[in-house]
Amino acid sequence: MRIRELLINARRMRSDRIVVGECRGAEALDMLQAMNTGHDGSLTTGHANSPRDILSRLETMVLMAGMDLPHRAIREQISSAIDLIIQQARLRDGSRRIVNVTEVQGMEGDVIVLQDIFVFEQLGEDGGKIIGRIRPTGIRPKFMTKIEEANIHLPPSVFGASERFF
């Protein structure tokens, strides 16, 4: 059975979550449709050089499904399905690190708006090994209300801001 058929069957079974190990082709359309039909918390992985690039890759993968969809419609599907992009990269020393945690904020015209929430900051090197940390940008994600509705409360300091800004 192909991954597209598995996704369709998972939607029929009314699964709470759908996890696809890696979207590489036309199954991206089925994954986006599942994410846009009440499967909050679903996730997938993909390969790209940046959070912006994965959006372009997703758009291309959806087009591989053979449906004649307008680019704007595809972007709207992507922007409403995805809350967060977490990018991992291989650094010069060969280690893999989370380098971006980026929120998908919606559409502005024909463009999907992204906002970095956390970014990797290299602090130095020690014997050829990169020393760094994931640094908050000071931006509170727009989807925090969803997290709080799930009774998860994060202090504003997690995002690099003080209490008085919230």
Side-chain angles (χ1 to χ4, degrees):
M1 188 176 279
R2 294 182 2 210
I3 195 161
R4 292 196 73 192
E5 294 162 333
L6 291 171
L7 278 165
I8 291 166
N9 286 334
R11 288 173 50 204
R12 282 190 190 123
M13 290 187 257
R14 297 180 172 198
S15 305
D16 289 335
R17 306 274 187 267
I18 296 177
V19 177
V20 175
E22 181 181 350
C23 275
R24 291 193 234 174
E27 70 274 2
L29 175 61
D30 302 298
M31 184 69 196
L32 288 174
Q33 287 177 333
M35 292 170 126
N36 277 318
T37 55
H39 294 88
D40 285 345
S42 297
L43 63 98
T44 190
T45 65
H47 291 263
N49 295 319
S50 70
R52 173 72 52 202
D53 287 349
I54 195 61
L55 299 178
S56 297
R57 293 248 8 249
L58 269 172
E59 191 172 335
T60 300
M61 289 186 272
V62 167
L63 291 169
M64 292 168 72
M67 307 278 289
D68 190 23
L69 297 169
H71 289 268
R72 180 173 172 91
I74 296 169
R75 289 181 193 136
E76 287 173 350
Q77 285 277 314
I78 291 169
S79 72
S80 65
I82 299 173
D83 290 318
L84 204 57
I85 299 168
I86 300 174
Q87 182 192 4
Q88 181 180 20
R90 186 186 318 246
L91 303 181
R92 277 190 333 274
D93 65 357
S95 65
R96 292 183 187 270
R97 302 279 184 87
I98 302 294
V99 294
N100 285 85
V101 177
T102 304
E103 179 180 27
V104 177
Q105 294 191 323
M107 296 282 295
E108 221 173 78
D110 286 343
V111 177
I112 298 173
V113 178
L114 299 178
Q115 177 64 58
D116 286 333
I117 305 299
F118 297 94
V119 294
F120 182 76
E121 176 179 45
Q122 183 173 334
L123 301 172
E125 290 188 39
D126 183 17
K129 182 175 171 54
I130 293 177
I131 307 298
R133 67 183 182 114
I134 193 83
R135 178 184 53 78
T137 62
I139 306 294
R140 182 178 189 246
K142 287 185 174 182
F143 60 81
M144 275 306 296
T145 53
K146 288 182 184 178
I147 291 173
E148 290 166 350
E149 287 169 0
N151 209 22
I152 300 170
H153 302 286
L154 300 173
S157 60
V158 167
F159 304 105
S162 66
E163 296 278 347
R164 63 187 166 89
F165 294 116
F166 294 101

